[in-house]
Amino acid sequence: MILKNKNIIYTILFVGILFNALDAFSIFGIPLPWVSTLIFIFLFINIFIEIKFETSSLTSQYFFWTLYCVFVTLIFLFFQYETLITNTVANPLLYISLRLLNFLSFFSIIYSLNNIFNNDNRNKIINLIAYASIIISILSLISYFSYVMNFPDLARNRMGTGIGFQSIVKACTVLRNYGTFREPSFLAVWIAPTIPLYFYNAKEKKYWYVLSLLPITCLVLTRSLTGVLSFIIAVFLV
């Protein structure tokens, strides 16, 4: 294992989770979610070096799902190139590389968490995700109310999902919360799964009920029906 200090590993994991949600930002032209992807892959390699690669009943499902996604991508690449690589793709090699890295990153974080997730550090990891959620919620609410109260928005420096830099205030007929993402639905999909963690923490510390208002408000302001429905379902299932 390259890194053995758990505090350093937790810090790197926290940065990876946080950067994953900073979708509308880049540093030196590199989108922060790409940096997050590399961080998760590094954590996987860090664990893989020390222990033999073994999949549990949980990780094996994601392992075969990752192989399936890679296989389908390669099939389309070699036999349905025009379907996979459209005219809007400026750099096909970069597009394919990032697509494959995203699949690997998803499996990497599942595998890494499964190996370090035990009774001793379970609450630590839950808190890392919850704290990252608090930061993203606060930044997102600042961004939203910057248009309501007419003060400067966050300094977005990444191209929108459309053409050029997206003007949030003109993007929809009804103002929606984009937060630190380039689309409101992206924010909703990211923030909704973190809300049950607040209620889990609230079993021991009641102030987490109050803190849960941050991501809930954030989610509602996205006006994303899918995000809101997923949260309602989670409330009844968790």
Side-chain angles (χ1 to χ4, degrees), residues 155-172:
R156 302 167 184 275
N157 60 352
R158 190 181 177 196
M159 301 286 279
T161 54
I163 299 176
F165 291 95
Q166 191 159 287
S167 176
I168 296 175
V169 73
K170 298 179 181 179
C172 305

Side-chain angles (χ1 to χ4, degrees), residues 187-224:
L187 173 60
V189 167
W190 193 94
I191 209 76
T194 69
I195 296 176
L197 301 181
Y198 290 75
F199 297 111
Y200 175 84
N201 283 342
K203 293 178 181 179
E204 295 184 0
K205 299 176 181 178
K206 301 302 180 184
Y207 63 79
W208 280 96
Y209 284 122
V210 178
L211 290 175
S212 69
L213 295 176
L214 288 171
I216 291 174
T217 303
C218 223
L219 178 62
V220 171
L221 291 177
T222 64
R223 293 178 170 83
S224 170

Side-chain angles (χ1 to χ4, degrees), residues 28-164:
F28 301 115
I30 303 174
L32 292 183
W34 296 9
V35 179
S36 172
T37 296
L38 294 177
I39 287 174
F40 293 148
I41 293 175
F42 169 76
L43 288 176
F44 169 73
I45 295 174
N46 186 59
I47 295 174
F48 183 73
I49 287 176
E50 181 175 353
I51 64 176
K52 182 181 178 181
F53 179 77
E54 294 179 349
T55 57
S56 64
S57 57
L58 171 65
T59 56
S60 63
Q61 299 176 35
Y62 291 102
F63 176 70
F64 288 115
W65 179 85
T66 301
L67 289 181
Y68 168 76
C69 291
V70 170
F71 178 74
V72 170
T73 298
L74 294 177
I75 289 295
F76 271 84
L77 177 63
F78 291 112
F79 300 102
Q80 293 288 335
Y81 184 84
E82 295 79 9
T83 303
L84 182 65
I85 309 297
T86 62
N87 294 330
T88 59
V89 178
N91 190 327
L93 178 60
L94 179 62
Y95 174 79
I96 293 297
S97 300
L98 289 174
R99 185 184 179 93
L100 296 177
L101 276 176
N102 277 329
F103 292 142
L104 179 58
S105 172
F106 180 75
F107 174 72
S108 295
I109 191 61
I110 296 295
Y111 186 86
S112 300
L113 287 178
N114 186 68
N115 277 274
I116 63 177
F117 205 84
N118 53 49
N119 292 331
D120 294 331
N121 57 23
R122 178 181 60 188
N123 290 336
K124 179 72 173 180
I125 295 174
I126 288 175
N127 284 334
L128 289 180
I129 299 173
Y131 290 141
S133 174
I134 290 174
I135 294 174
I136 296 304
S137 297
I138 292 174
L139 291 176
S140 297
L141 291 175
I142 290 174
S143 175
Y144 179 84
F145 285 106
S146 70
Y147 291 94
V148 175
M149 304 177 70
N150 196 28
F151 61 84
D153 184 19
L154 304 175
R156 302 167 184 275
N157 60 352
R158 190 181 177 196
M159 301 286 279
T161 54
I163 299 176

Side-chain angles (χ1 to χ4, degrees), residues 192-193 195-196 199 216 219 225-236:
I195 296 176
F199 297 111
I216 291 174
L219 178 62
L225 181 59
T226 303
V228 174
L229 285 177
S230 63
F231 167 66
I232 293 174
I233 294 172
V235 168
F236 285 101

